Amino acid sequence: MDFSRLQEALASKSYAKIATICDDLMLQVAAEGVAFQDEWPYAIHLLGHIYVDDINSARFLWKSIPSAIKESQQEVVAAWRIGQRLWTRDYAGVYEAIRGFSWSPDAQGLVATFADLYTKRMFQLLLSAYSTISILDTALFLGMNEDDAMNYVVHQGWILDPTSGMLTVKKQAVVSEQKLDPTKLQRLTEYVFQLEH
C-alpha cells in the first residue's frame, strides 16, 4: 500500500490535508478489494479528522475500526479519546487526552500543532462568550496552569483584578469600512441643492 502522499503531508506539516488523503486512500483500497486493516494508519486518520474539526467523520471512522485494532493499537484509542472529549465539549479533557499519551513520531507533530490550534480556538471562544472570567476557568479552557493562562491572556490585553482573581476580557476591535455609495451621495447632493433653491 502506497502511503507516500500521507508521509509527504506529515513531513511538510500539511496537517489539514491528512483526513482527505486518508479518506481517498481508504476508498481506493476498498474499491480494489484489498485487505488493509492491520497496516492502516487509523490513529493518524482519526487525528486528521480531529485536526480539521470534523468530529462526525472521526466518530464514524472510529465506529468502523475493527475491535481487534482498537484492542491492539493504543494510539488509536488515545486519538479517539481526544475525539470523545471534543464531542462532549469537555474542554479541559481535550488537553488531558492530548497529554495523557506518549505519541508516536508520526503523530507527535500533528498532535502538538492541533493542541496549539485548539488553544487559539478556545481563546476565541472565551473572547466571544465572556466579559469577565475567573483565572481558574480560563486555565481550564486553555489547558494551562493558572499562571500561564493569566500571562497568556494578559499579554492579549485582558485585565486582571488581583483582589477578586477575575479577568476582564478585552474585546478585539472590529474594523469595518464604510463604503461611500456614489448614488447615495448624488441623491444627497440633489436633495441639498433643492433645499437651498
Side-chain angles (χ1 to χ4, degrees):
M1 192 171 320
D2 182 15
F3 289 116
S4 58
R5 279 181 59 216
L6 178 59
Q7 291 303 325
E8 287 170 15
L10 286 167
S12 65
K13 298 182 180 183
S14 301
Y15 301 128
K17 297 178 181 178
I18 289 178
T20 303
I21 291 170
C22 288
D23 289 346
D24 291 347
L25 284 172
M26 188 176 265
L27 287 172
Q28 177 187 343
V29 170
E32 294 169 1
V34 178
F36 60 85
Q37 293 178 356
D38 291 340
E39 58 186 274
W40 190 259
Y42 286 108
I44 297 295
H45 196 168
L46 277 169
L47 290 168
H49 282 294
I50 289 167
Y51 182 86
V52 294
D53 202 20
D54 186 358
I55 303 307
N56 280 330
S57 293
R59 198 169 129 243
F60 290 123
L61 176 60
W62 171 255
K63 288 181 176 184
S64 72
I65 298 173
S67 354
I69 300 293
K70 292 176 185 176
E71 292 168 9
S72 65
Q73 296 183 19
Q74 292 180 345
E75 192 165 66
V76 173
V77 176
W80 178 239
R81 207 168 287 128
I82 296 171
Q84 284 176 307
R85 300 310 186 271
L86 289 167
W87 183 260
T88 60
R89 293 188 173 105
D90 176 2
Y91 305 114
V94 170
Y95 295 106
E96 291 170 11
I98 289 169
R99 294 183 190 120
F101 188 76
S102 181
W103 301 97
S104 68
D106 279 345
Q108 278 177 352
L110 174 56
V111 172
T113 304
F114 169 74
D116 291 341
L117 181 64
Y118 185 70
T119 298
K120 289 175 184 166
R121 285 183 198 155
M122 290 298 97
F123 178 75
Q124 289 303 317
L125 176 69
L126 294 177
L127 199 59
S128 65
Y130 291 90
S131 56
T132 58
I133 186 171
S134 71
I135 295 172
L136 177 61
D137 287 343
T138 303
L140 288 173
F141 274 100
L142 298 179
M144 302 175 184
N145 65 43
E146 290 184 35
D147 288 339
D148 290 344
M150 183 185 64
N151 290 332
Y152 183 86
V153 297
V154 166
H155 183 71
Q156 302 294 325
W158 294 18
I159 300 165
L160 170 66
D161 178 354
T163 309
S164 66
M166 296 295 286
L167 293 158
T168 301
V169 176
K170 179 184 178 196
K171 304 289 185 188
Q172 294 176 340
V174 177
V175 178
S176 63
E177 292 183 23
Q178 286 187 335
K179 295 185 179 178
L180 189 57
D181 183 357
T183 59
K184 288 182 181 177
L185 182 59
Q186 179 64 34
R187 280 185 278 164
L188 180 62
T189 304
E190 290 171 3
Y191 179 73
V192 170
F193 180 77
Q194 287 176 358
L195 286 175
E196 290 179 350
H197 295 106

